[in-house]
Amino acid sequence: MSDHSMPAQVPDARGYYGEYGGRFVPETLMPALDELTESFQSALADPDFMGRYEHLQATYVGRPTPITYAAQLSKTLGGAQIYLKREDLAHTGAHKINNALGQALLAERMGKRRVIAETGAGQHGVASATAAALLGLDCHVYMGSVDIARQRPNVFRMKLLGAEVIPVESGSKTLKDAINEAIRDWVANVEDTFYLLGSALGPHPYPLIVRTFQSVIGIEARQQMLDEVGQLPDVCIACVGGGSNAIGLFHAFRDDDAVDLIGVEAGGLGIPSGEHAARFADPNLGRPGVLHGTRSFVLQDADGQIRETHSVSAGLDYASVGPEHAYLRDMERAFYTTATDEEALAAFQTLCRQEGIIPALESSHAVAEAIKRAPTMPKDAIILVNLSGRGDKDLDTVIHEIGEDA
Amino acid sequence: MNEPVTTLQGTAALAAMFEGAKAHDRAAFLPYFPIGYPTYDDSLAAIEAMAAEGVDGFEIGIPFSDPLADGPTIQAATQVALENGITVRRCLEAVRTLRARGVRQPMLLMGYLNPILAYGVEAYVRDAHAAGADGLIVPDLPPEEAAQVKSACEKVGLALVFLLAPTSTEARIKLVTAQATGFVYLVSVMGTTGARDHLPETLPGFVARVRAQTDKPLVLGFGIGRPEQARQAGELVDGFIVGSALVREGAHGAEAVRALAASLRRALD
């Protein structure tokens, strides 16, 4: 992936994607972000570092992940042919390991033995705990107590992997508050601690680092489409919480003008309800603002207080979105839509029964969009869905939502 | 005890504040208190009571849902303020009311960036000035990102205070001291706001590194809560801020806040 790992036009040297991005953090962290930027750039230019990363991706994570033709689902829908990029098959069960492994190697290179991470659904926490165990780092994961309650299997996995899970009781007790606490920890311990941030957000250089380590998804998928299907997809679809799996898929296709890029936000109980995490879809609540160190679209009230969000999937339940997504939206290079809780749960069950794949509730939002869109497209059209994670972690939630007699 | 500063506002009022304290051979004491804690009326009463004790200036806290530079005490207090329906508009109204009630000391508005963006940067600075505020402290706004806020402040003469931390490099000390107006805010400890048992031993070295690069007033904050710490801070810098310790007293009413402020103020004489 070394050939593709350098940024294209964005971000600029200050970490801006058009008018989004930047670095809005307390002064204590500014020198650490400078140091991180320099270390990251020198690591990228170091063939030994990238070689080790790629070797571990192949021998430990299990990359490349395949693409799977969803034959029965495509036939049932009667329109476009649907392919799935199988990030659910990566070690730890989601794309999050691509970034966690890259950043953990970076922490090791910088001589920081203590890593902290935030997690929503727990996938990034598990990936961070895994990478830390592999490299012998000391790992602490902040997680909202609401998310701890709805993602219990992942909490236990993190503990098994030797990480400390720190419950966050402030605010809405979800991902937003976990990030606040992780940043507070970093401010207090910045000299010996590496903040292993899990999505394509936060202050520069994090959105760039995360995109770089996640871009393997799109690089592989694009080549697999050419090699195995003989053409590029017409549409790429990915769910968007912070947006790391989406940016990882989209980045390789950015210059393929004929390929539509579609991000799916959490529509929750529906946009009119206000109970959602759809930053782009709700003009009353979603506006440019600054949260967690970056300028992007943020769900907020008229006074600029950050809104509490709702989604059936903990990983999409977040008030802001990676700044590059705001930029791609403004540029009309990517388009963003929503799937409700109900649509995601229906897509979850459909994929289970028709393809024998239990998707993460996050990824089910992307599947829901494919299910809506495929019937409107011709049979020779192709949709590529990023199946960003597997759904074992979500079984408690799904049982609660649809009952045991699924 | 206070120098009359009624005709001065903004950076000029802050300069007069530091001169006044210096004339008495002591550091300036600036309490922090959030509007709306434990209620709107109580917060105003606490600030008025501290003003009467002869504190030198105020950091007026504006609540935000995600105060990532703040420790548990101020997080909890500003959360109460939000639950009390406190908005940016209400905080500006509080400044206007305090001026009307005769509070003359300089007031700096301390609040995070997003509510300012939501209000509109130009409008916020204009309305803050009109209400009688003298400066802004925005903990998540480093000078690199501050061009718009800075030019708005310059237009009306409001101070825009930037922060330095023990981690700041020489290059950053140079940048921040060049850009800050009013004073430079030195964060004494690594971490969030909140009273500590001891100020770090590295503090004199940090202050000296900054002093070597600027003549602007230096104000120390974070971790100071007791008279002996106030005295210690007063020997190192031109002013100091106490927040969490006063906010904790706020739960017991304005009189408790006044009493702690008085003991901190007396420690400087």
Side-chain angles (χ1 to χ4, degrees):
Chain A
M1 63 169 283
S2 319
D3 294 344
H4 302 275
S5 55
M6 290 309 287
Q9 301 89 355
V10 288
D12 68 14
R14 295 174 58 229
Y16 272 87
Y17 305 77
E19 61 178 289
Y20 307 104
R23 222 180 234 186
F24 298 86
V25 294
E27 170 64 24
T28 310
L29 296 180
M30 292 295 283
L33 293 171
D34 282 337
E35 183 195 3
L36 179 60
T37 305
E38 281 167 30
S39 300
F40 173 62
Q41 279 161 355
S42 96
L44 277 191
D46 179 352
D48 288 346
F49 178 89
M50 292 310 287
R52 181 149 177 247
Y53 174 64
E54 284 164 23
H55 179 73
L56 287 171
Q57 284 277 43
T59 62
Y60 184 73
V61 174
R63 302 208 73 89
T65 60
I67 50 171
T68 298
Y69 172 48
Q72 209 175 164
L73 179 63
S74 303
K75 192 174 168 207
T76 310
L77 295 170
Q81 308 306 305
I82 298 172
Y83 287 81
L84 308 171
K85 175 62 173 167
R86 299 293 304 280
E87 291 301 295
D88 61 316
L89 295 179
H91 180 44
T92 72
H95 72 292
K96 292 290 186 188
I97 190 70
N98 300 322
N99 169 58
L101 182 61
Q103 287 196 39
L105 286 168
L106 202 51
E108 183 188 57
R109 180 186 171 91
M110 293 172 74
K112 310 221 174 191
R113 309 299 304 180
R114 179 177 185 268
V115 301
I116 54 172
E118 82 295 338
T119 199
Q123 288 303 117
H124 174 60
V126 167
S128 299
T130 299
L134 177 69
L135 300 179
L137 304 171
D138 177 25
C139 182
H140 307 263
V141 181
Y142 288 92
M143 188 170 188
S145 60
V146 168
D147 290 338
I148 286 178
R150 62 179 164 173
Q151 303 284 329
R152 292 180 55 82
N154 271 347
V155 175
F156 190 54
R157 287 165 83 196
M158 284 184 268
K159 290 179 180 169
L160 284 174
L161 292 159
E164 184 195 0
V165 180
I166 306 162
V168 175
E169 300 290 350
S170 58
S172 55
K173 305 178 177 65
T174 61
L175 179 57
K176 166 175 89 77
D177 312 285
I179 297 176
N180 286 339
E181 282 308 316
I183 292 174
R184 288 177 185 128
D185 180 315
W186 202 30
V187 170
N189 300 293
V190 64
E191 284 172 324
D192 69 351
T193 296
F194 186 100
Y195 181 16
L196 212 167
L197 210 164
S199 196
L201 43 86
H204 177 64
Y206 280 107
L208 173 61
I209 290 176
V210 175
R211 183 186 79 189
T212 302
F213 289 131
Q214 292 294 0
S215 62
V216 64
I217 301 170
I219 292 165
E220 283 178 8
R222 189 176 183 282
Q223 196 60 47
Q224 288 164 325
M225 291 303 298
L226 290 173
D227 292 347
E228 296 168 31
V229 186
Q231 62 182 97
L232 292 179
D234 298 280
V235 180
C236 290
I237 301 176
C239 64
V240 182
S244 70
N245 91 83
I247 211 69
L249 178 67
F250 292 174
H251 194 59
F253 293 94
R254 67 195 182 281
D255 297 327
D256 299 315
D257 294 338
V259 179
D260 288 341
L261 306 176
I262 309 294
V264 187
E265 298 184 283
L269 303 180
I271 304 306
S273 73
E275 298 290 313
H276 58 72
R279 291 69 43 113
F280 294 133
D282 188 338
N284 294 321
L285 302 175
R287 299 191 306 280
V290 167
L291 179 65
H292 296 145
T294 192
R295 183 169 193 278
S296 185
F297 269 65
V298 180
L299 287 168
Q300 54 186 308
D301 69 15
D303 197 44
Q305 307 298 339
I306 307 306
R307 287 271 303 192
E308 294 191 2
T309 50
H310 166 81
S311 171
V312 71
S313 68
L316 303 185
D317 203 351
Y318 180 60
S320 184
V321 59
E324 189 166 5
H325 287 294
Y327 172 71
L328 292 173
R329 177 182 185 262
D330 277 11
M331 300 303 288
E332 298 187 343
R333 178 62 194 95
F335 297 89
Y336 295 83
T337 182
T338 61
T340 62
D341 288 353
E342 202 180 326
E343 290 166 335
L345 283 162
F348 176 96
Q349 295 171 80
T350 299
L351 203 70
C352 288
R353 293 190 180 188
Q354 301 217 347
E355 299 298 334
I357 297 171
I358 301 177
L361 281 173
E362 290 78 13
S363 320
S364 299
H365 287 70
V367 175
E369 175 62 18
I371 290 172
K372 281 185 222 170
R373 195 173 280 252
T376 70
M377 296 170 70
K379 284 194 163 61
D380 60 353
I382 294 175
I383 293 175
L384 175 63
V385 175
N386 195 18
L387 204 71
S388 56
R390 69 177 186 222
D392 310 51
K393 69 184 176 64
D394 294 317
L395 298 185
D396 280 354
T397 304
V398 175
I399 289 168
H400 177 75
E401 295 287 336
I402 67 176
E404 303 229 14
D405 300 328
Chain B
M1 265 191 286
N2 290 298
E3 305 304 313
V5 291
T6 46
T7 55
L8 300 175
Q9 193 181 355
T11 49
L14 287 164
M17 175 190 80
F18 287 113
E19 272 172 39
K22 206 172 176 181
H24 293 90
D25 201 25
R26 62 172 180 83
F29 167 34
L30 295 95
Y32 163 96
F33 208 84
I35 299 301
Y37 179 76
T39 70
Y40 179 81
D41 290 340
D42 290 338
S43 61
L44 266 59
I47 291 165
E48 277 187 271
M50 289 190 282
E53 281 301 327
V55 304
D56 298 285
F58 289 99
E59 208 184 316
I60 303 289
I62 299 176
F64 179 49
S65 53
D66 294 83
L68 52 77
D70 285 304
T73 304
I74 292 177
Q75 281 177 46
T78 51
Q79 187 60 38
V80 168
L82 287 175
E83 283 157 16
N84 287 337
I86 299 302
T87 59
V88 170
R89 207 167 294 282
R90 204 85 203 284
C91 292
L92 296 176
E93 179 195 309
V95 171
R96 199 176 309 111
T97 302
L98 289 166
R99 288 291 181 231
R101 292 187 195 168
V103 174
R104 299 193 169 172
Q105 287 93 332
M107 286 192 245
L108 296 119
L109 299 176
M110 145 75 201
Y112 291 81
L113 182 59
N114 199 58
I116 297 175
L117 296 177
Y119 194 99
V121 168
E122 300 281 335
Y124 179 77
V125 170
R126 182 195 62 217
D127 292 354
H129 182 259
D134 298 281
L136 308 183
I137 301 172
V138 188
D140 55 349
L141 185 69
E144 287 93 330
E145 304 287 358
Q148 194 194 359
V149 178
K150 189 166 165 62
S151 90
C153 285
E154 274 167 4
K155 246 177 255 170
V156 296
L158 280 196
L160 180 59
V161 171
F162 292 116
L163 294 86
L164 281 170
T167 53
S168 301
T169 56
E170 300 307 307
R172 291 204 58 80
I173 292 173
K174 188 171 184 178
L175 171 75
V176 167
T177 54
Q179 295 293 317
T181 52
F183 58 84
V184 182
Y185 189 142
L186 306 189
V187 176
S188 68
V189 294
M190 311 273 287
T192 51
T193 57
R196 310 289 205 274
D197 286 341
H198 304 283
L199 293 175
E201 284 171 18
T202 51
L203 194 56
F206 170 42
V207 172
R209 283 204 297 136
V210 181
R211 183 52 84 205
Q213 294 214 32
T214 186
D215 293 330
K216 289 179 183 172
L218 306 182
V219 171
L220 198 64
F222 289 41
I224 306 169
R226 293 205 289 253
E228 67 270 23
Q229 293 170 325
R231 208 174 298 118
Q232 201 184 338
E235 283 164 16
L236 283 173
V237 287
D238 306 292
F240 65 95
I241 294 166
V242 176
S244 299
L246 289 164
V247 172
R248 217 158 26 219
E249 295 304 311
H252 310 298
E255 170 52 28
V257 178
R258 187 207 58 75
L260 177 58
S263 73
L264 291 163
R265 170 63 192 81
R266 273 198 305 274
L268 303 173
D269 290 330

Coordinates of all heavy atoms in Angstrom, one line a residue, chain B residues 173-235:
Chain B
I173 N 6.1 28.8 22.6 CA 6.1 29.9 23.6 C 6.2 31.2 22.8 O 5.5 32.2 23.1 CB 7.2 29.8 24.6 CG1 7.0 28.6 25.5 CG2 7.4 31.0 25.4 CD1 8.1 28.2 26.5
K174 N 7.1 31.2 21.8 CA 7.3 32.4 21.0 C 6.0 32.8 20.3 O 5.6 34.0 20.3 CB 8.4 32.2 20.0 CG 8.9 33.4 19.2 CD 10.1 33.0 18.4 CE 10.6 34.3 17.7 NZ 11.8 34.1 17.0
L175 N 5.3 31.8 19.7 CA 4.1 32.1 18.9 C 3.0 32.6 19.8 O 2.3 33.6 19.6 CB 3.7 30.8 18.2 CG 2.3 30.8 17.6 CD1 2.3 31.6 16.3 CD2 1.8 29.4 17.3
V176 N 2.8 31.9 20.9 CA 1.7 32.2 21.8 C 1.9 33.6 22.5 O 1.0 34.4 22.6 CB 1.4 31.1 22.9 CG1 0.5 31.5 24.0 CG2 0.9 29.8 22.2
T177 N 3.1 33.8 23.0 CA 3.3 35.1 23.7 C 3.2 36.3 22.7 O 2.8 37.4 23.0 CB 4.7 35.2 24.3 OG1 5.7 34.8 23.4 CG2 4.8 34.2 25.5
A178 N 3.5 36.0 21.4 CA 3.4 37.1 20.4 C 1.9 37.4 20.1 O 1.6 38.5 19.9 CB 4.1 36.7 19.1
Q179 N 1.1 36.4 20.1 CA -0.3 36.5 19.7 C -1.2 36.9 20.8 O -2.3 37.6 20.6 CB -0.8 35.2 19.1 CG -0.1 34.8 17.8 CD -0.4 35.7 16.7 OE1 -1.5 36.1 16.5 NE2 0.6 36.1 15.9
A180 N -0.9 36.6 22.1 CA -1.8 36.8 23.2 C -1.9 38.3 23.5 O -0.9 39.0 23.4 CB -1.3 36.1 24.4
T181 N -3.1 38.8 23.8 CA -3.3 40.1 24.3 C -3.9 40.1 25.7 O -4.6 39.1 26.0 CB -4.2 41.0 23.4 OG1 -5.4 40.3 23.1 CG2 -3.5 41.2 22.0
G182 N -3.7 41.1 26.5 CA -4.2 41.1 27.9 C -3.2 40.4 28.8 O -2.6 41.0 29.7
F183 N -3.1 39.1 28.7 CA -2.0 38.4 29.4 C -1.8 37.0 28.7 O -2.6 36.6 27.8 CB -2.3 38.2 30.9 CG -3.7 37.6 31.2 CD1 -3.7 36.2 31.3 CD2 -4.8 38.3 31.5 CE1 -4.9 35.6 31.6 CE2 -6.0 37.7 31.8 CZ -6.1 36.3 31.9
V184 N -0.8 36.3 29.2 CA -0.6 34.9 28.7 C -1.0 34.0 29.9 O -0.6 34.2 31.0 CB 0.9 34.7 28.4 CG1 1.1 33.3 27.9 CG2 1.3 35.7 27.3
Y185 N -1.8 33.0 29.6 CA -2.3 32.1 30.6 C -1.4 30.9 30.7 O -1.3 30.1 29.7 CB -3.8 31.7 30.2 CG -4.6 30.9 31.2 CD1 -5.9 31.2 31.4 CD2 -4.0 29.9 32.0 CE1 -6.7 30.5 32.3 CE2 -4.8 29.3 32.9 CZ -6.2 29.5 33.1 OH -6.9 28.9 34.0
L186 N -0.8 30.7 31.8 CA 0.1 29.5 32.0 C -0.7 28.4 32.7 O -1.1 28.6 33.8 CB 1.4 29.9 32.8 CG 2.2 31.1 32.3 CD1 3.5 31.1 33.1 CD2 2.5 31.0 30.8
V187 N -0.8 27.3 32.0 CA -1.4 26.1 32.6 C -0.4 25.5 33.5 O 0.6 25.0 33.0 CB -2.0 25.2 31.6 CG1 -2.5 23.9 32.2 CG2 -3.0 25.9 30.7
S188 N -0.6 25.5 34.8 CA 0.5 25.1 35.7 C 0.8 23.6 35.7 O 1.9 23.2 36.0 CB 0.1 25.5 37.2 OG -0.9 24.7 37.6
V189 N -0.2 22.8 35.4 CA 0.0 21.3 35.5 C -0.4 20.6 34.2 O -1.1 21.2 33.3 CB -0.9 20.8 36.6 CG1 -0.5 21.3 38.0 CG2 -2.4 21.1 36.3
M190 N 0.0 19.4 34.1 CA -0.4 18.6 33.0 C -1.8 18.0 33.4 O -1.9 17.4 34.4 CB 0.5 17.4 32.8 CG 2.0 17.8 32.7 SD 2.4 18.2 31.0 CE 2.4 16.6 30.3
G191 N -2.8 18.3 32.7 CA -4.1 17.8 33.0 C -5.2 18.8 32.9 O -5.0 19.9 32.4
T192 N -6.4 18.4 33.5 CA -7.5 19.3 33.4 C -7.6 20.2 34.6 O -6.8 20.1 35.5 CB -8.8 18.4 33.4 OG1 -8.8 17.5 34.4 CG2 -8.9 17.6 32.1
T193 N -8.6 21.1 34.6 CA -8.7 22.0 35.8 C -9.1 21.2 37.0 O -9.6 20.1 37.0 CB -9.9 23.0 35.5 OG1 -11.1 22.3 35.2 CG2 -9.5 23.9 34.3
G194 N -8.7 21.8 38.2 CA -9.0 21.1 39.4 C -7.9 21.4 40.4 O -6.8 21.4 40.1
A195 N -8.3 21.6 41.7 CA -7.4 21.9 42.7 C -6.4 20.7 42.9 O -6.9 19.5 42.9 CB -8.1 22.2 44.0
R196 N -5.2 21.0 43.2 CA -4.2 19.9 43.5 C -3.6 20.2 44.8 O -3.6 21.3 45.4 CB -3.0 19.9 42.4 CG -3.4 20.0 41.0 CD -4.0 18.6 40.5 NE -3.9 18.4 39.1 CZ -4.8 18.9 38.1 NH1 -5.8 19.6 38.5 NH2 -4.6 18.6 36.9
D197 N -3.0 19.1 45.4 CA -2.3 19.3 46.7 C -1.1 20.1 46.6 O -0.8 20.9 47.5 CB -1.9 17.9 47.3 CG -3.2 17.1 47.8 OD1 -4.2 17.8 48.0 OD2 -3.1 15.9 47.9
H198 N -0.3 20.0 45.5 CA 0.9 20.7 45.4 C 1.0 21.2 44.0 O 0.6 20.6 43.0 CB 2.1 19.8 45.7 CG 2.1 19.2 47.0 ND1 2.4 19.9 48.2 CD2 1.8 17.9 47.4 CE1 2.2 19.1 49.2 NE2 1.8 17.9 48.8
L199 N 1.6 22.4 43.9 CA 2.0 22.9 42.5 C 3.3 22.1 42.1 O 4.1 21.8 43.0 CB 2.3 24.4 42.6 CG 1.0 25.2 42.8 CD1 1.3 26.7 43.0 CD2 0.0 25.0 41.7
P200 N 3.4 21.8 40.8 CA 4.6 21.0 40.4 C 5.9 21.7 40.7 O 6.0 22.9 40.6 CB 4.3 20.8 38.9 CG 3.3 21.8 38.5 CD 2.6 22.2 39.7
E201 N 6.9 20.9 41.0 CA 8.3 21.5 41.3 C 8.9 22.1 40.0 O 9.8 23.0 40.1 CB 9.2 20.4 41.8 CG 8.9 20.0 43.2 CD 9.7 18.8 43.7 OE1 10.6 18.4 43.0 OE2 9.3 18.2 44.7
T202 N 8.4 21.7 38.9 CA 8.9 22.2 37.6 C 8.4 23.6 37.3 O 8.8 24.2 36.3 CB 8.6 21.3 36.5 OG1 7.2 21.0 36.5 CG2 9.4 20.0 36.6
L203 N 7.5 24.1 38.1 CA 6.8 25.3 37.7 C 7.7 26.6 37.6 O 7.6 27.3 36.6 CB 5.7 25.6 38.8 CG 4.7 26.7 38.5 CD1 3.9 26.4 37.2 CD2 3.7 26.8 39.6
P204 N 8.6 26.8 38.5 CA 9.5 28.0 38.3 C 10.3 27.9 37.0 O 10.5 28.9 36.3 CB 10.5 27.9 39.5 CG 9.7 27.1 40.6 CD 8.9 26.1 39.8
G205 N 10.7 26.7 36.6 CA 11.5 26.6 35.4 C 10.6 26.9 34.2 O 11.0 27.6 33.2
F206 N 9.3 26.5 34.2 CA 8.4 26.7 33.1 C 8.1 28.2 33.0 O 8.2 28.8 32.0 CB 7.1 26.0 33.4 CG 5.9 26.3 32.5 CD1 6.1 26.5 31.2 CD2 4.6 26.4 33.1 CE1 5.0 26.8 30.4 CE2 3.5 26.7 32.3 CZ 3.7 26.9 30.9
V207 N 7.9 28.9 34.2 CA 7.6 30.3 34.2 C 8.8 31.1 33.6 O 8.7 32.0 32.8 CB 7.3 30.8 35.6 CG1 7.2 32.3 35.7 CG2 6.0 30.2 36.1
A208 N 10.0 30.6 34.0 CA 11.3 31.3 33.6 C 11.4 31.2 32.0 O 11.8 32.1 31.4 CB 12.5 30.7 34.3
R209 N 11.1 30.0 31.5 CA 11.2 29.8 30.0 C 10.3 30.8 29.3 O 10.6 31.3 28.3 CB 10.7 28.4 29.7 CG 11.8 27.3 30.0 CD 11.6 26.1 29.1 NE 10.3 25.4 29.3 CZ 9.5 25.0 28.4 NH1 9.8 25.1 27.1 NH2 8.4 24.4 28.7
V210 N 9.1 31.0 29.9 CA 8.1 31.9 29.2 C 8.6 33.4 29.4 O 8.6 34.2 28.5 CB 6.7 31.8 29.8 CG1 5.7 32.7 29.1 CG2 6.2 30.3 29.6
R211 N 9.0 33.7 30.7 CA 9.4 35.0 31.0 C 10.6 35.5 30.1 O 10.7 36.7 29.7 CB 9.8 35.1 32.5 CG 10.2 36.4 33.0 CD 9.2 37.5 32.7 NE 8.1 37.6 33.6 CZ 6.9 38.1 33.3 NH1 6.6 38.5 32.0 NH2 5.9 38.2 34.1
A212 N 11.4 34.5 29.7 CA 12.6 34.8 28.9 C 12.2 35.3 27.5 O 12.9 36.0 26.8 CB 13.5 33.6 28.7
Q213 N 10.9 35.1 27.1 CA 10.5 35.4 25.8 C 9.5 36.6 25.7 O 9.1 37.0 24.6 CB 9.9 34.2 25.1 CG 11.0 33.1 24.8 CD 10.7 32.3 23.5 OE1 10.2 32.9 22.6 NE2 11.0 31.1 23.5
T214 N 9.0 37.0 26.9 CA 7.9 38.1 26.8 C 7.9 38.9 28.1 O 8.3 38.5 29.1 CB 6.5 37.4 26.6 OG1 5.6 38.5 26.4 CG2 6.1 36.6 27.8
D215 N 7.5 40.2 27.8 CA 7.2 41.1 29.0 C 5.7 41.2 29.3 O 5.3 41.9 30.2 CB 7.7 42.5 28.6 CG 9.2 42.6 28.5 OD1 9.9 41.8 29.2 OD2 9.7 43.4 27.7
K216 N 4.9 40.4 28.5 CA 3.5 40.5 28.8 C 3.2 39.9 30.2 O 3.9 39.0 30.6 CB 2.7 39.7 27.7 CG 2.7 40.5 26.4 CD 2.0 39.8 25.3 CE 2.1 40.6 24.0 NZ 1.6 39.9 22.8
P217 N 2.1 40.3 30.8 CA 1.7 39.7 32.1 C 1.5 38.2 32.0 O 0.9 37.8 31.0 CB 0.5 40.4 32.5 CG 0.5 41.7 31.7 CD 1.2 41.4 30.4
L218 N 2.0 37.5 33.0 CA 1.8 36.0 33.0 C 0.8 35.7 34.1 O 1.0 36.1 35.3 CB 3.1 35.3 33.2 CG 4.2 35.6 32.3 CD1 5.5 34.8 32.6 CD2 3.8 35.4 30.8
V219 N -0.2 34.9 33.8 CA -1.2 34.5 34.8 C -1.2 33.0 34.9 O -1.3 32.3 33.8 CB -2.6 35.0 34.4 CG1 -3.7 34.5 35.3 CG2 -2.6 36.6 34.5
L220 N -1.2 32.5 36.1 CA -1.1 31.0 36.3 C -2.5 30.5 36.7 O -3.2 31.1 37.5 CB -0.1 30.8 37.5 CG 0.5 29.4 37.6 CD1 1.3 29.0 36.4 CD2 1.3 29.4 38.9
G221 N -2.8 29.3 36.1 CA -4.1 28.7 36.4 C -4.0 27.2 36.5 O -2.9 26.7 36.1
F222 N -5.0 26.5 36.9 CA -5.1 25.1 37.1 C -4.4 24.6 38.3 O -3.2 24.9 38.5 CB -4.5 24.3 35.9 CG -5.3 24.3 34.6 CD1 -5.9 25.5 34.2 CD2 -5.4 23.2 33.8 CE1 -6.6 25.5 32.9 CE2 -6.2 23.2 32.6 CZ -6.7 24.4 32.2
G223 N -5.1 24.0 39.2 CA -4.4 23.4 40.4 C -4.3 24.3 41.6 O -3.8 23.8 42.6
I224 N -4.6 25.6 41.5 CA -4.4 26.4 42.7 C -5.7 26.5 43.5 O -6.8 26.8 42.9 CB -4.0 27.9 42.2 CG1 -2.8 27.8 41.3 CG2 -3.7 28.8 43.4 CD1 -2.4 29.1 40.6
G225 N -5.7 26.3 44.8 CA -6.9 26.3 45.5 C -6.8 26.8 47.0 O -7.7 26.9 47.7
R226 N -5.5 26.9 47.4 CA -5.3 27.2 48.8 C -4.4 28.4 49.0 O -3.6 28.8 48.1 CB -4.6 26.0 49.5 CG -5.5 24.8 49.6 CD -5.1 23.9 50.7 NE -3.8 23.2 50.4 CZ -3.7 21.9 50.1 NH1 -4.8 21.2 50.0 NH2 -2.5 21.4 49.8
P227 N -4.6 29.1 50.1 CA -3.8 30.4 50.3 C -2.3 30.2 50.1 O -1.7 31.1 49.5 CB -4.2 30.8 51.8 CG -5.5 30.2 52.0 CD -5.5 28.9 51.2
E228 N -1.7 29.1 50.6 CA -0.3 29.0 50.5 C 0.1 28.9 49.0 O 1.2 29.3 48.6 CB 0.3 27.9 51.4 CG -0.1 26.5 51.0 CD -1.4 26.0 51.7 OE1 -2.2 26.9 52.1 OE2 -1.6 24.8 51.8
Q229 N -0.8 28.2 48.2 CA -0.5 28.1 46.8 C -0.7 29.4 46.1 O 0.1 29.8 45.2 CB -1.4 27.1 46.2 CG -1.2 25.6 46.6 CD -2.3 24.7 46.2 OE1 -3.5 25.1 46.1 NE2 -1.9 23.4 45.9
A230 N -1.6 30.2 46.6 CA -1.8 31.6 46.0 C -0.6 32.4 46.3 O -0.1 33.1 45.4 CB -3.0 32.2 46.7
R231 N -0.1 32.3 47.5 CA 1.2 33.0 47.8 C 2.3 32.6 47.0 O 3.1 33.4 46.4 CB 1.5 32.8 49.3 CG 2.2 34.0 50.0 CD 2.4 33.8 51.5 NE 1.1 33.7 52.2 CZ 0.7 32.6 52.9 NH1 1.4 31.5 53.0 NH2 -0.4 32.7 53.5
Q232 N 2.4 31.3 46.8 CA 3.5 30.7 46.0 C 3.4 31.2 44.5 O 4.4 31.6 43.9 CB 3.4 29.2 46.1 CG 4.6 28.4 45.7 CD 4.3 26.9 45.7 OE1 3.3 26.5 46.3 NE2 5.1 26.1 45.0
A233 N 2.2 31.1 44.0 CA 2.0 31.6 42.6 C 2.3 33.1 42.5 O 2.9 33.5 41.5 CB 0.5 31.3 42.2
G234 N 1.8 33.8 43.5 CA 2.0 35.3 43.5 C 3.5 35.7 43.4 O 3.8 36.8 42.9
E235 N 4.4 34.8 43.9 CA 5.8 35.2 43.9 C 6.4 34.9 42.5 O 7.5 35.4 42.2 CB 6.5 34.4 44.9 CG 6.3 35.0 46.3 CD 6.7 34.1 47.4 OE1 7.4 33.1 47.2 OE2 6.3 34.4 48.6

